[in-house]
Amino acid sequence: MSDPSPGRSAASRAGLRNYVLVTGAYWADTVTDGATRMLVLFYFYNLGYTPLAVASLFIFYEVFGILTNLFGGYVGARFGLKTTLFIGLGTQLVALSMLAFAPRGWLIVAWVMASQALSGIAKDMTKMSSKSAVKLIVPEDSSATLYRWVAILTGSKNALKGVGFFLGGLLLTLLDFQTALKALVALVAITLVLAALLMRGGLGEANKKAKFAQMFSRNAAVNKLAAARIFLFGARDVWFVVGLPVFLSSVLGWTFWQSGGFLALWVIGYGIVQAATPGLLRSRVEGQHEPDGRTATILAFVLAALPAGIALGLSAGVAPSTVVVGGLIVFGAIFALNSAVHSYLILAYTDSDKVAMSVGFYYMANATGRLAGTVLSGALYQWGLQSGPSNGLIACLWASSAFVLVAGLLSLLLPRHIGPRSKPIKLGDLGD
């Protein structure tokens, strides 16, 4: 009887090779996405757009992110994650080209919103591909390994998004808006060509029997986690997307270069904490040292105190630069821990044959929270400005604290322990 191990080993190597490629493509898209966000935000704010108008530029980005996670999970399950990866990269190329090569007169709100809609599709297609793919190459019984890989992937993504923020500020300083975007078009084009040339076989096994109705999870743990995720990410973006950059520029008097550089450092640090989460939490959780619902609950309630504390400090007249910068650093560290735990739990709660759809559903909730946070960030900041220069950010911070409290209450409903999944991962099913 022949030894099947060489075949399994070859399948494992093929899966690992493709995972490295899809992750590299995701990283490139992440840098591009962060750079584009800074370019659009500061370019149009400098043109005199109000905070709410700037926020409106990103509404379609988040709306189409929700739709992408809904339909993208189904597409990934039905046709494989390789398909969603190339759809994502191709769409990003079109989105950037719309801004980079359009006549100047076309750079109005409607055109930019359309471009951002495509960027939202692209970002979530590539993210879903990479975050689903990690489950396909980690053996079913290796929950600790899965936790470490997810934390590293999540942390690296956010660190590279910070690099993108920095790159966007640098490009806008050295080049004009459209020339900077042409450089990003070149980056995505090179990534797409390399992925197409080097990837062998598929990424995961396509399930032709997958039904769209299965996108709406019947897993109670996944649904509860998704609900908590909506409020967790709404809490971040309600002050981070528009309120904080505008506050740094208009109240503290920072240049867009200083603001973009600081936000870049913050996101990079945030990503480093996410990647280090398994080691940081190892002595704080029970059993086999993997987090559970109680871990997410504790972190959420600790996090809720931070934006409230920053708001109280600003209201009490504490130096704005001290209270905002210091508070943001602590907020970022605790938020990173919470986000990394969520990213592990969604995979831990999910059967391997449903991973693309469950991850898509979960990140649909993630995008819903970002949408709410983005709209409220511009609206609350503009409303608060009517009663004082710092009150715009204070209004955003109180909303953030309320959102995190709701996330903590929802996390109380999560399972305390991770149960066994019904269908194990078969590394031999990864394809050639």
Side-chain angles (χ1 to χ4, degrees):
M1 185 174 181
S2 61
D3 184 3
S5 59
R8 288 200 301 269
S9 177
S12 298
R13 288 195 300 271
L16 181 59
R17 172 194 178 92
N18 286 348
Y19 177 70
V20 169
L21 288 170
V22 75
T23 300
Y26 175 45
W27 285 347
D29 187 75
T30 298
V31 171
T32 302
D33 189 71
T36 305
R37 173 63 64 102
M38 285 294 102
L39 285 168
V40 171
L41 191 156
F42 285 120
Y43 177 75
F44 285 96
Y45 180 68
N46 286 341
L47 289 180
Y49 282 56
T50 65
L52 184 57
V54 172
S56 72
L57 296 173
F58 303 113
I59 289 176
F60 276 11
Y61 177 94
E62 303 298 354
V63 168
F64 280 82
I66 296 170
L67 296 175
T68 299
N69 282 296
L70 175 62
F71 291 96
Y74 169 73
V75 173
R78 189 71 185 263
F79 300 103
L81 297 174
K82 183 177 178 180
T83 300
T84 58
L85 172 68
F86 286 114
I87 290 174
L89 292 174
T91 305
Q92 186 70 278
L93 203 57
V94 174
L96 292 171
S97 297
M98 286 177 63
L99 298 180
F101 300 104
R104 284 277 176 168
W106 291 21
L107 296 179
I108 58 175
V109 170
W111 185 258
V112 176
M113 288 180 73
S115 169
Q116 285 295 294
L118 294 179
S119 286
I121 294 171
K123 186 262 296 183
D124 281 304
M125 277 289 192
T126 54
K127 177 170 71 174
M128 188 200 64
S129 300
S130 184
K131 289 203 171 185
S132 298
V134 66
K135 180 134 183 179
L136 300 174
I137 63 168
V138 176
E140 181 70 16
D141 297 332
S142 302
S143 59
T145 301
L146 178 64
Y147 180 28
R148 289 194 299 271
W149 278 51
V150 170
I152 291 170
L153 177 61
T154 304
S156 65
K157 183 268 292 187
N158 285 296
L160 287 168
K161 190 164 189 176
V163 172
F165 286 172
F166 178 81
L167 180 62
L170 178 63
L171 289 174
L172 198 56
T173 299
L174 300 177
L175 307 170
D176 65 83
F177 179 67
Q178 290 191 298
T179 304
L181 285 162
K182 289 173 184 176
L184 298 179
V185 168
L187 174 61
V188 175
I190 291 170
T191 301
L192 179 58
V193 170
L194 288 177
L197 292 176
L198 298 177
M199 190 170 288
R200 299 288 183 269
L203 187 67
E205 182 179 347
N207 179 6
K208 298 300 183 181
K209 296 181 180 180
K211 295 181 174 61
F212 179 73
Q214 294 174 321
M215 277 301 308
F216 299 95
S217 175
R218 297 177 184 177
N219 183 324
V222 169
N223 290 336
K224 292 168 185 175
L225 183 63
R229 187 79 169 184
I230 290 173
F231 288 94
L232 180 67
F233 271 75
R236 182 196 67 178
D237 285 5
V238 75
W239 68 296
F240 189 80
V241 170
V242 175
L244 180 62
V246 172
F247 179 85
L248 294 176
S249 178
S250 62
V251 177
L252 298 188
W254 293 12
T255 65
F256 75 84
W257 167 253
Q258 290 172 316
S259 299
F262 172 71
L263 295 176
L265 290 174
W266 183 83
V267 175
I268 291 170
Y270 162 85
I272 291 171
V273 173
Q274 281 188 309
T277 297
L280 295 173
L281 293 182
R282 183 167 295 278
S283 63
R284 303 295 180 185
V285 294
E286 298 176 348
Q288 298 180 349
H289 304 294
E290 281 72 63
D292 55 18
R294 185 171 65 173
T295 314
T297 302
I298 293 171
L299 288 170
F301 286 133
V302 171
L303 183 65
L306 295 172
I310 300 170
L312 290 172
L314 287 172
S315 298
V318 179
S321 57
T322 301
V323 69
V324 171
V325 173
L328 182 64
I329 291 171
V330 180
F331 178 90
I334 305 300
F335 185 92
L337 294 173
N338 210 326
S339 179
V341 167
H342 277 207
S343 293
Y344 165 73
L345 290 177
I346 183 59
L347 295 183
Y349 292 156
T350 301
D351 284 339
S352 297
D353 62 335
K354 298 182 179 70
V355 63
M357 289 191 288
S358 291
V359 170
F361 175 78
Y362 168 73
Y363 280 108
M364 179 178 67
N366 192 78
T368 302
R370 292 199 313 266
L371 172 62
T374 297
V375 175
L376 286 172
S377 186
L380 288 173
Y381 192 91
Q382 193 162 318
W383 172 75
L385 279 179
Q386 299 173 14
S387 55
S390 295
N391 288 342
L393 186 62
I394 290 172
C396 294
L397 288 164
W398 281 118
S400 174
S401 186
F403 269 48
V404 184
L405 281 174
V406 175
L409 292 172
L410 290 168
S411 298
L412 287 170
L413 304 175
L414 295 174
R416 288 293 187 93
H417 301 288
I418 308 301
R421 290 176 288 279
S422 62
K423 295 186 179 182
I425 297 170
K426 298 178 182 179
L427 293 179
D429 289 341
L430 289 173
D432 295 333

